[in-house]
Amino acid sequence: MNPISTDGTVSIVARSPDLDTEAVEVVVTVPTFRRPDQVLTTLASIRNQKTARRFAIVLIENDAEGLAGARAATPLFERGDLPGLLIVAHQRGNCSAYNAGWRTALAEFPRFRYIAVIDDDEIADHDWLEQLCGAAERLDAAIVGGPQVPVFPDAASEKWATHPVFAPPYRESGPVKALYSSGNLLMSREVLTRMEQPFLDLRFNFMGGGDSDFLSRAAEAGFRLAWCDEAKLRETIPARRLEADWVQARGLRNGVISTLVEKKKRAGSPFGAARVVAKSLLLLAASPVRGLARLLKTGSPAIALYPIHVALGRVLAEFGYANEQYRQPEKN
């Protein structure tokens, strides 16, 4: 596997023949890390999109040593089964992969209107891309998010569907004030040309939350956000993510991310840091009551514990705690 070109951090290792980069309207970026079988399923769902829009794929391999995803997908690009590029992002980490893909899209496709994101454990409905683009145009939104519908390993696990870790933040399409995940996302080209690089803050590389921080900053910059409930992706949930310690760690991590994102947002404002601490302490004090209310409503101890874990994570972040769940991928 010999690179076509490289800038030291990104190598292009495959390009579909006769790729008309000038005609591409939508670029779909797909980061992948050690999921060769799953990423092929993801790519097949993109290839089968029902849309008249010209789109291309940028597949971002983030395991520069193993290259399992790249080796699995290279023939698809070289034969022209998939339109687009396959690149290797040599710097490991969630944020590094996204940044590499978005920079490559800007460099290689000079006229694209939108850039979409789907992860390598997700499968797109056949109208996913058209739904996202249509929502952006209908709602005059620069950034549109959609639901990541969890697919659990068995019927007994479906009780987790309403847990905040797995449930989508919205249930209806329309303008929203905040988006939190890049796992199902569409952005206009202007978002990337106006936002400062690196797009995702590398401090979140192995924790996650770089997307939440980026979307928060984009909203602060004046970009309109929207939700498209019809643009569904189906996310495979491994059994590991249903274990109590993983769910607890994710709640703590979400609390840490909340504090870090809010600190950046309030940086430079009078008493900004103190206000973040005060909010965290108030949330911690209120969390047992909020947890009890959730327990009475849902009957689920796991759902009841979630606001307590988030509040603890917010406070622990003040002492430098960082739960880097992506640092050891085999445990994630």
Side-chain angles (χ1 to χ4, degrees):
M1 186 178 295
N2 298 314
I4 299 171
S5 64
T6 181
D7 68 356
T9 62
V10 177
S11 299
I12 300 176
V13 297
R15 181 190 297 267
S16 55
D18 303 320
L19 179 63
D20 186 353
T21 58
E22 297 275 346
V24 170
E25 180 181 355
V26 186
V27 179
V28 182
T29 55
V30 188
T32 186
F33 184 83
R34 298 179 185 174
R35 289 173 175 158
D37 295 330
Q38 285 181 278
V39 76
L40 292 180
T41 304
T42 300
L43 293 170
S45 74
I46 301 170
R47 182 177 57 192
N48 293 330
Q49 290 298 293
K50 304 298 183 184
T51 179
R53 302 173 194 265
R54 294 286 296 271
F55 67 86
I57 298 167
V58 175
L59 178 63
I60 309 121
E61 170 63 84
N62 196 219
D63 181 12
E65 291 76 34
L67 297 171
R71 295 185 192 283
T74 290
L76 299 177
F77 286 94
E78 291 181 340
R79 290 196 305 261
D81 295 345
L82 295 173
L85 309 171
L86 193 165
I87 69 172
V88 176
H90 295 279
Q91 296 177 341
R92 256 201 67 194
N94 176 279
C95 298
S96 294
Y98 282 119
N99 289 340
W102 297 353
R103 290 200 320 269
T104 299
L106 286 172
E108 296 287 332
F109 301 98
R111 299 185 183 278
F112 77 84
R113 293 182 61 198
Y114 301 113
I115 188 163
V117 186
I118 177 173
D119 287 336
D120 64 351
D121 57 354
E122 297 173 334
I123 300 172
D125 281 4
H126 69 278
D127 61 346
W128 165 70
L129 198 57
E130 187 59 35
Q131 290 284 2
L132 283 176
C133 294
E137 293 160 359
R138 184 173 64 256
L139 299 170
D140 189 27
I143 307 175
V144 181
Q148 298 161 266
V149 180
V151 179
F152 296 103
D154 51 52
S157 304
E158 292 179 4
K159 64 183 180 181
W160 288 95
T162 56
H163 192 285
V165 165
F166 303 109
Y170 306 105
R171 296 289 184 179
E172 295 182 357
S173 299
V176 296
K177 293 184 178 181
L179 292 169
Y180 306 98
S181 172
S182 59
N184 183 359
L185 195 70
L186 183 88
M187 299 183 290
S188 70
R189 183 189 187 93
E190 186 185 6
V191 175
L192 296 189
T193 57
R194 279 182 48 191
M195 293 295 287
E196 183 180 358
Q197 294 196 38
F199 303 112
L200 271 60
D201 188 334
L202 298 182
R203 286 178 290 182
F204 295 94
N205 229 350
F206 296 99
M207 182 192 312
D211 47 2
S212 182
D213 170 62
F214 175 80
L215 292 166
S216 174
R217 288 186 282 115
E220 286 288 305
F223 289 109
R224 287 172 56 89
L225 312 182
W227 181 259
C228 180
D229 204 58
E230 296 78 19
K232 289 181 169 56
L233 296 179
R234 306 191 185 277
E235 180 183 11
T236 301
I237 307 298
R240 164 66 184 139
R241 296 191 178 187
L242 303 178
E243 295 174 6
D245 65 326
W246 188 92
V247 175
Q248 174 182 310
R250 181 54 58 106
L252 291 169
R253 186 208 72 146
N254 288 352
V256 172
I257 290 170
S258 177
T259 287
L260 296 180
V261 170
E262 191 171 355
K263 276 180 175 290
K264 289 185 67 174
K265 187 176 181 179
R266 295 188 181 278
S269 63
F271 308 106
R275 291 171 69 184
V276 175
V277 173
K279 181 178 177 179
S280 296
L281 292 173
L282 285 172
L283 287 171
L284 182 61
S287 63
V289 176
R290 297 176 66 202
L292 179 60
R294 291 190 179 205
L295 180 62
L296 294 173
K297 181 179 180 179
T298 67
S300 169
I303 293 176
L305 286 169
Y306 181 73
I308 298 173
H309 293 151
V310 171
L312 281 171
R314 282 190 60 106
V315 173
L316 288 171
E318 299 291 346
F319 299 92
Y321 174 80
N323 191 312
E324 295 187 324
Q325 284 190 301
Y326 299 131
R327 181 74 69 176
Q328 296 178 291
E330 68 281 357
K331 296 184 178 181
N332 192 46

